[in-house]
Amino acid sequence: MSSDEAIDRLNAAVRDVADFPSPGITFKDITPLLADAELFAAAVEALARPYATAEIDAVVGIEARGFIFAAPIARVLGAGFVPLRKAGKLPSDTVEETYDLEYGTATIAVHVDAFDDGDRVLVVDDVLATGGTARAAANLVRRAGGHVVGLAVLIELGFLGGREVLDGVPLTTVLRY
Ligand code: AMP
């Protein structure tokens, strides 16, 4: 599959679900893409490719859909996998970061010993919307001693401007709307 063909087929496999999880939101449902062996592999390849020579030590997945891509990307890059989870889920000592959502706040956490000082870290998620989650994730990685090399997301919702709030963290994306 050529990379142009891969992008077309990946695009076609993302299902728009209107008014989920709340009225006015068009949810980007990646489950049809994940269920297709070729497309899942193509998505992992496309996400990992920009970092092939970046000497990544750890790939961080943002709960929950970020895990799906971060783990195979870690294997491709020869790196470890680190889960970044909602507060209260990780069993050992954590650092936490609270950030604003459209309504209310959210708190994410990572184990304090997840990284060695200066580890080169790639942060992965499925969708970049307003960018709040990704920015909080990058802050958390830094506070835990990691160096954020980049943020890789499958889908960028460009009209929401998430890219602008990332404080200079390099962003790579596969599909853009
Ligand atoms: P944000 O913090 O606004 O960038 O939101 C990013 C997080 O919310 C990601 O972890 C996404 O999985 C999820 N998300 C936000 N908007 C959507 C959407 N339209 N479709 C699917 N997931 C979304």
Side-chain angles (χ1 to χ4, degrees):
M1 187 166 26
S2 73
S3 61
D4 281 353
E5 186 191 350
I7 297 297
D8 288 347
R9 287 184 54 195
L10 289 168
N11 254 318
V14 175
R15 173 164 57 196
D16 281 357
V17 181
D19 300 317
F20 183 89
S22 44
I25 305 286
T26 302
F27 190 85
K28 295 291 184 189
D29 176 18
I30 58 169
T31 60
L33 181 160
L34 298 174
D36 182 307
E38 268 188 1
L39 293 184
F40 183 36
V44 170
E45 287 302 321
L47 283 161
R49 195 173 302 125
Y51 304 95
T53 60
E55 299 183 356
I56 300 296
D57 298 301
V59 181
V60 165
I62 300 178
E63 185 175 359
R65 287 182 301 274
F67 293 174
I68 297 167
F69 295 107
I73 290 168
R75 294 288 291 125
V76 168
L77 296 178
F81 168 77
V82 173
L84 199 156
R85 300 206 62 183
K86 289 163 186 149
K89 299 284 188 183
L90 288 168
S92 190
D93 293 342
T94 59
V95 270
E96 298 188 348
E97 182 93 12
T98 297
Y99 61 100
D100 290 329
L101 297 174
E102 195 176 352
Y103 301 102
T105 62
T107 303
I108 53 176
V110 71
H111 276 145
V112 286
D113 60 358
F115 311 109
D116 290 331
D117 258 359
D119 264 0
R120 294 173 60 77
V121 176
L122 173 65
V123 178
V124 172
D125 205 358
D126 65 334
V127 173
L128 182 75
T130 66
T133 307
R135 182 170 61 179
N139 284 341
L140 203 47
V141 169
R142 285 188 211 103
R143 288 175 50 209
H147 166 68
V148 182
V149 172
L151 169 70
V153 299
L154 184 69
I155 298 170
E156 177 184 7
L157 303 179
F159 55 91
L160 293 176
R163 179 180 281 273
E164 317 306 327
V165 306
L166 296 179
D167 301 330
V169 173
L171 171 70
T172 55
T173 64
V174 179
L175 307 175
R176 287 163 285 275
Y177 299 92

